[in-house]
Amino acid sequence: MIRRYLSSALVLVVLLLAASAWAGWMDKLKEAGEETGLIESAGLSTEETVEGLKEALRVGVDRAVGFLGQPGGYLNHEDVRIPMPDSLQSAADVARTMGKDEVVDEFVVSMNQAAERAVPEAVDVFTDAIKQMTFDDAKKILKGPDDAATRYFERTSSDDLTARFLPIVDEATDEVGVTRKYKNFTESLGPATSLMDMKALDLDGYVTEKGLDGLFLTLAREEKKIRENPAARTTEILKKVFGSKQ
């Protein structure tokens, strides 16, 4: 009888503690929303606030990936275009003075095309990061600067993105002929090659690094639009949650 009483009491204590923890979590989330102006007397629930944040992240990711993953997504935009590697820039300058502009340009184009092929792989990685977001993550993003969500992705997803990008870039470099065009570029220098510091270059690693830099830059731009521009809020939850900040 005593054992049954103790067992029942223990279950009750556990249930009370669980309820208390859940209530505390919701109170903190409500407090975060109030501090950032997202929850107002008009009636935004904590659930709507968090869903609005996650929706903003999903929309921002889709737009950034869609922008960069199209033909010319990297190449035609100077701020994300993958340039000639620094270690090869002097060789490229020499090649151009020799009238070899075409082989230099073809090599740069091929690197950007490889990144455009690889960038759609980011969607799944970012989706996983959104699902795994904790309350503390959400609070920091809500209270943070215009690129707080992008910095969250950069902090939590860079390693996974690199791991997912590399094999896609490797395949894409073969498809668009990056290695072949790099060889054409170096061979175009002729005897001048011996005068240049032509260090060994990890082309796949370089394209991956620069491709991710461009992705995070574009994502930050899309995040800022959603926070500041009503026209960028294309779903009802975005309009309701971020509209309450105006």
Side-chain angles (χ1 to χ4, degrees):
M1 184 69 176
I2 294 176
R3 184 178 301 169
R4 186 183 310 161
Y5 171 79
L6 291 174
S7 177
S8 299
L10 180 59
V11 170
L12 180 59
V13 168
V14 170
L15 290 174
L16 288 173
L17 287 174
S20 175
W22 173 252
W25 195 94
M26 294 301 289
D27 287 343
K28 288 181 179 179
L29 186 56
K30 183 174 184 297
E31 178 185 345
E34 289 170 346
E35 288 175 357
T36 56
L38 288 177
I39 297 178
E40 298 184 353
S41 58
L44 271 182
S45 69
T46 52
E47 291 84 358
E48 286 175 318
T49 301
V50 173
E51 183 55 34
L53 171 62
K54 291 187 175 183
E55 179 71 3
L57 300 183
R58 287 189 288 265
V59 169
V61 166
D62 287 345
R63 289 177 183 169
V65 170
F67 176 81
L68 294 173
Q70 62 183 323
Y74 279 91
L75 184 66
N76 295 340
H77 301 94
E78 187 174 355
D79 56 347
V80 296
R81 183 187 303 135
I82 299 175
M84 180 68 69
D86 289 342
S87 62
L88 299 179
Q89 189 56 59
S90 58
D93 293 340
V94 170
R96 291 190 186 280
T97 63
M98 298 168 61
K100 304 292 185 179
D101 297 69
E102 184 176 351
V103 291
V104 175
D105 293 339
E106 284 180 347
F107 174 49
V108 172
V109 168
S110 68
M111 290 190 293
N112 283 272
Q113 288 175 336
E116 290 159 12
R117 299 277 186 95
V119 76
E121 192 70 18
V123 173
D124 289 342
V125 177
F126 284 144
T127 298
D128 289 342
I130 293 170
K131 291 178 180 177
Q132 296 169 15
M133 185 182 295
T134 66
F135 162 73
D136 286 338
D137 294 327
K139 183 175 180 179
K140 289 175 183 176
I141 292 171
L142 288 171
K143 295 176 66 177
D146 290 338
D147 64 347
T150 301
R151 299 285 79 82
Y152 164 77
F153 280 139
E154 196 168 17
R155 186 178 68 254
T156 61
S157 305
S158 288
D159 289 344
D160 286 344
L161 282 170
T162 299
R164 296 280 283 270
F165 256 57
L166 271 172
I168 306 298
V169 168
D170 179 58
E171 182 179 340
T173 53
D174 286 339
E175 290 179 2
V176 302
V178 174
T179 303
R180 174 171 51 81
K181 289 169 184 175
Y182 170 64
K183 184 178 179 181
N184 291 344
F185 160 60
T186 57
E187 288 178 348
S188 73
L189 295 168
T193 304
S194 61
L195 303 176
M196 310 300 297
D197 183 16
M198 302 292 285
K199 298 178 180 177
L201 177 66
D202 176 8
L203 287 175
D204 293 345
Y206 177 75
V207 171
T208 295
E209 178 186 354
K210 294 300 182 182
L212 291 180
D213 287 347
L215 174 58
F216 285 123
L217 179 65
T218 305
L219 184 58
R221 185 184 301 129
E222 293 300 329
E223 179 185 355
K224 184 175 182 180
K225 287 180 184 177
I226 292 173
R227 288 178 183 265
E228 296 182 351
N229 183 4
R233 301 168 197 150
T234 54
T235 67
E236 288 303 316
I237 189 65
L238 289 181
K239 293 174 184 177
K240 188 172 184 179
V241 171
F242 287 90
S244 69
K245 294 185 69 177
Q246 305 303 313

